Structures are given as structure tokens and as C-alpha cells.
Amino acid sequence: MAVEQTYIMLKPDAIQRQLLGEIISRIERKGYQIVQAKLMDLDSEIIANHYAHLLEQNFYSKLEAYMLSGPVFAMIVEGEEAIQGMRTLMGPTNVFAAMPGTIRGDFATDLTYNTIHGSDSPEAAEVEIKQFFG
Ligand code: DAT
Ligand code: MG
């Protein structure tokens, strides 16, 4: 067990649908600390960096348009085993398999518009925290 920091990003639909309070409240109720947070507008370059593993996918242009459609709420979340723990709280990438009670299970009905991002490994968390918080 170790205290970890993970990069969490509430995507544009979370803000447009006024779900910020609901989702932040779930993270707090779980017992994690939000140690930094900011509302920010992304550009194509930072999106391409963040989703470099998906640049060749046929859904990339849809993903890029989504991430440009409004501000995101970027956070560093800290807690015991927070990287895997946040992924569990979020639910899987495939929202159709996401269980009720998870953030994606409760709020997302589309593979692309899936409401929340969370780092998927310690290596990714380090890179993403640096990318979004310097
Ligand atoms: P995750 O966000 O669970 O880490 P990922 O890194 O593989 O998943 O993908 C990043 C985002 O790309 C994901 O949140 C939504 C979009 N995406 C992934 N797979 C998709 C698919 N098959 N069709 C449409 N959008 C997809
Ligand atoms: Mg990912």
C-alpha cells in the first residue's frame, strides 16, 4: 500500500451537464484528497499529447472535437492506491460494461463521451500530472 497521486480530468460534458459537484463529492466521500484543481481550456496539441496512443484510431477526430468542446476540470487526486482506486470508481473504458454506482456507469452512454479521465498507471500519472500541472 502506498499513497499515490493520480491525474483526474472531468471532461467537457461533465461541466456542460453540471455534474462537477456530484463527481467531486464521490471522490471526496471515497476519502481521497484533491490537492490541486483548475478549470482549463485544452488545445489540439495538449490533446494529441495526452491521447498519443489513440492518434491513429478512426474515432480520434471525434475524441479531439469532444475535448475541445468546452473547458475541462483538471485535478490531482491523492490517496492510498489512488491510481487503481480512481479507475475503479470511474468504471471501465467500455461504458456499456460499466456497473451502476461507477461514474461512467451512472453518467455515460457513449464510448467517447465518457465524462472522466483517470491515469491508468503510476508512469502515466507522473507524465500527466507534469503535463497538466507543470
Ligand atoms: P480510458 O479513458 O479508460 O483510459 P483510453 O485511454 O483507451 O481509455 O481511451 C481514451 C479515450 O478515448 C476514452 O476515454 C474515450 C475514447 N475512446 C476509447 N476507446 C474508444 C472507442 N472504441 N470508441 C470511441 N471512443 C473511444
Ligand atoms: Mg487512458
Side-chain angles (χ1 to χ4, degrees), residues 22-52:
E22 166 73 33
I23 296 171
I24 290 168
S25 153
R26 290 178 180 214
I27 295 169
E28 290 188 322
R29 264 168 21 207
K30 174 75 177 173
Y32 298 139
Q33 301 294 321
I34 296 164
V35 296
Q36 287 199 58
K38 62 183 173 187
L39 208 55
M40 65 189 291
D41 288 304
L42 305 185
D43 59 27
S44 294
E45 192 184 338
I46 198 168
I47 296 166
N49 254 310
H50 181 66
Y51 287 130

Coordinates of all heavy atoms in Angstrom, one line a residue, residues 22-52:
E22 N -21.4 16.6 -8.2 CA -21.7 15.2 -7.9 C -20.4 14.4 -8.0 O -20.2 13.5 -7.1 CB -22.7 14.8 -9.0 CG -22.9 13.3 -9.1 CD -23.7 12.7 -8.0 OE1 -24.6 13.4 -7.5 OE2 -23.4 11.5 -7.7
I23 N -19.6 14.6 -9.0 CA -18.4 13.7 -9.2 C -17.4 14.0 -8.2 O -16.8 13.1 -7.6 CB -17.9 13.8 -10.6 CG1 -19.0 13.3 -11.6 CG2 -16.6 13.1 -10.8 CD1 -18.6 13.6 -13.1
I24 N -17.1 15.3 -7.9 CA -16.1 15.7 -6.9 C -16.6 15.1 -5.5 O -15.8 14.6 -4.7 CB -16.0 17.2 -6.8 CG1 -15.3 17.7 -8.1 CG2 -15.2 17.7 -5.6 CD1 -15.3 19.2 -8.3
S25 N -17.9 15.2 -5.3 CA -18.4 14.7 -4.0 C -18.1 13.2 -3.9 O -17.8 12.7 -2.8 CB -19.9 15.0 -3.9 OG -20.6 14.1 -3.2
R26 N -18.2 12.4 -4.9 CA -17.9 11.0 -4.9 C -16.5 10.7 -4.6 O -16.1 9.8 -3.8 CB -18.3 10.3 -6.2 CG -19.8 10.2 -6.5 CD -20.0 9.6 -7.8 NE -21.5 9.6 -8.1 CZ -22.1 8.6 -8.7 NH1 -21.4 7.6 -9.2 NH2 -23.4 8.6 -8.9
I27 N -15.6 11.5 -5.2 CA -14.1 11.4 -4.9 C -13.8 11.7 -3.4 O -13.1 11.0 -2.8 CB -13.4 12.3 -5.9 CG1 -13.6 11.9 -7.3 CG2 -11.9 12.4 -5.5 CD1 -13.0 12.9 -8.4
E28 N -14.5 12.8 -2.9 CA -14.3 13.1 -1.5 C -14.8 12.1 -0.6 O -14.2 11.7 0.4 CB -14.9 14.5 -1.2 CG -14.1 15.6 -1.9 CD -14.6 17.0 -1.5 OE1 -15.9 17.1 -1.3 OE2 -13.8 17.9 -1.4
R29 N -16.0 11.6 -0.9 CA -16.7 10.6 0.0 C -15.8 9.3 0.1 O -15.8 8.7 1.1 CB -18.1 10.3 -0.5 CG -19.2 11.1 0.1 CD -20.5 11.0 -0.5 NE -20.7 9.9 -1.4 CZ -21.6 9.9 -2.4 NH1 -22.3 11.0 -2.7 NH2 -21.8 8.8 -3.2
K30 N -15.2 9.0 -1.0 CA -14.3 7.8 -1.0 C -13.2 8.0 -0.1 O -12.7 7.0 0.5 CB -13.8 7.6 -2.5 CG -12.7 6.6 -2.6 CD -13.3 5.2 -2.6 CE -12.3 4.1 -2.9 NZ -12.8 2.8 -2.7
G31 N -12.8 9.3 0.2 CA -11.7 9.5 1.1 C -10.4 10.1 0.5 O -9.4 10.2 1.2
Y32 N -10.5 10.4 -0.8 CA -9.3 10.9 -1.5 C -9.2 12.4 -1.3 O -10.3 13.1 -1.1 CB -9.3 10.6 -3.0 CG -9.3 9.2 -3.3 CD1 -10.1 8.6 -4.3 CD2 -8.4 8.3 -2.6 CE1 -10.0 7.3 -4.7 CE2 -8.4 6.9 -2.9 CZ -9.2 6.4 -4.0 OH -9.2 5.1 -4.3
Q33 N -8.0 13.0 -1.3 CA -7.8 14.4 -1.2 C -7.6 15.0 -2.6 O -6.9 14.4 -3.4 CB -6.6 14.7 -0.4 CG -6.5 14.2 1.0 CD -7.6 14.8 1.9 OE1 -7.8 16.0 1.8 NE2 -8.2 14.0 2.7
I34 N -8.3 16.1 -2.9 CA -8.0 16.9 -4.1 C -6.9 17.9 -3.7 O -7.1 18.8 -2.9 CB -9.3 17.6 -4.6 CG1 -10.3 16.5 -5.0 CG2 -8.9 18.5 -5.8 CD1 -11.7 17.0 -5.2
V35 N -5.7 17.7 -4.3 CA -4.6 18.5 -3.8 C -4.3 19.7 -4.7 O -3.7 20.7 -4.3 CB -3.3 17.7 -3.5 CG1 -3.5 16.7 -2.4 CG2 -2.8 17.0 -4.7
Q36 N -4.7 19.6 -6.0 CA -4.7 20.8 -6.9 C -5.9 20.6 -7.9 O -6.2 19.5 -8.2 CB -3.4 20.8 -7.7 CG -2.2 21.2 -6.9 CD -1.1 21.7 -7.8 OE1 -1.2 22.6 -8.6 NE2 0.1 21.0 -7.8
A37 N -6.4 21.7 -8.3 CA -7.5 21.7 -9.3 C -7.6 23.0 -10.0 O -7.3 24.0 -9.5 CB -8.8 21.4 -8.5
K38 N -8.0 22.9 -11.3 CA -8.2 24.1 -12.1 C -9.1 23.8 -13.3 O -9.1 22.7 -13.8 CB -6.9 24.7 -12.6 CG -6.1 23.7 -13.5 CD -4.8 24.4 -13.9 CE -3.9 23.4 -14.6 NZ -2.6 23.8 -14.9
L39 N -9.9 24.8 -13.7 CA -10.7 24.7 -14.9 C -9.8 25.1 -16.0 O -9.0 26.2 -15.9 CB -11.8 25.7 -14.8 CG -13.1 25.5 -15.5 CD1 -13.8 24.2 -15.2 CD2 -14.1 26.6 -15.0
M40 N -9.7 24.4 -17.1 CA -8.8 24.8 -18.2 C -9.4 24.5 -19.6 O -10.1 23.5 -19.7 CB -7.4 24.3 -18.0 CG -7.3 22.8 -18.1 SD -5.6 22.2 -17.6 CE -4.6 22.8 -19.0
D41 N -9.0 25.3 -20.6 CA -9.3 25.0 -22.0 C -8.2 24.3 -22.6 O -7.0 24.7 -22.5 CB -9.6 26.3 -22.8 CG -10.9 27.0 -22.4 OD1 -11.9 26.3 -22.4 OD2 -10.9 28.2 -22.0
L42 N -8.4 23.1 -23.3 CA -7.3 22.4 -23.9 C -7.2 22.9 -25.4 O -8.1 23.5 -25.9 CB -7.7 20.9 -23.9 CG -7.9 20.3 -22.5 CD1 -8.1 18.8 -22.7 CD2 -6.8 20.6 -21.5
D43 N -6.0 22.6 -25.9 CA -5.9 22.9 -27.4 C -5.5 21.6 -28.1 O -5.2 20.6 -27.4 CB -4.8 24.0 -27.7 CG -3.5 23.7 -27.1 OD1 -3.1 22.5 -27.0 OD2 -2.7 24.6 -26.8
S44 N -5.4 21.6 -29.4 CA -5.2 20.3 -30.1 C -3.9 19.7 -29.8 O -3.8 18.4 -29.7 CB -5.2 20.6 -31.6 OG -6.5 21.0 -32.0
E45 N -2.9 20.5 -29.4 CA -1.5 20.0 -29.1 C -1.6 19.2 -27.8 O -1.0 18.0 -27.8 CB -0.6 21.1 -29.1 CG 0.9 20.7 -29.0 CD 1.9 21.8 -28.8 OE1 1.5 23.0 -29.2 OE2 3.0 21.6 -28.4
I46 N -2.1 19.7 -26.8 CA -2.1 19.0 -25.5 C -3.0 17.8 -25.6 O -2.7 16.7 -25.0 CB -2.5 20.0 -24.3 CG1 -2.1 19.4 -23.0 CG2 -4.0 20.3 -24.3 CD1 -2.2 20.3 -21.8
I47 N -4.1 17.8 -26.4 CA -5.0 16.7 -26.5 C -4.2 15.5 -27.3 O -4.2 14.4 -26.9 CB -6.3 17.0 -27.3 CG1 -7.1 18.0 -26.5 CG2 -7.1 15.8 -27.7 CD1 -8.2 18.7 -27.3
A48 N -3.4 15.9 -28.3 CA -2.7 14.9 -29.1 C -1.6 14.3 -28.2 O -1.3 13.1 -28.3 CB -2.0 15.6 -30.3
N49 N -1.0 15.1 -27.3 CA 0.0 14.5 -26.4 C -0.6 13.6 -25.4 O -0.1 12.5 -25.2 CB 0.6 15.7 -25.6 CG 2.0 16.0 -26.0 OD1 2.8 15.1 -26.1 ND2 2.2 17.3 -26.2
H50 N -1.8 14.0 -24.9 CA -2.4 13.2 -23.8 C -3.0 11.9 -24.4 O -2.9 10.9 -23.8 CB -3.6 14.0 -23.2 CG -4.3 13.3 -22.2 ND1 -3.8 13.0 -21.0 CD2 -5.6 12.9 -22.1 CE1 -4.7 12.4 -20.2 NE2 -5.8 12.3 -20.9
Y51 N -3.5 12.0 -25.7 CA -4.1 10.8 -26.3 C -3.2 10.3 -27.4 O -3.7 9.8 -28.4 CB -5.5 11.1 -26.8 CG -6.5 11.2 -25.7 CD1 -7.4 12.3 -25.6 CD2 -6.6 10.2 -24.7 CE1 -8.3 12.3 -24.5 CE2 -7.5 10.2 -23.7 CZ -8.4 11.3 -23.6 OH -9.3 11.4 -22.6
A52 N -1.9 10.4 -27.3 CA -0.9 10.0 -28.3 C -1.1 8.5 -28.7 O -1.0 8.2 -29.9 CB 0.5 10.2 -27.9

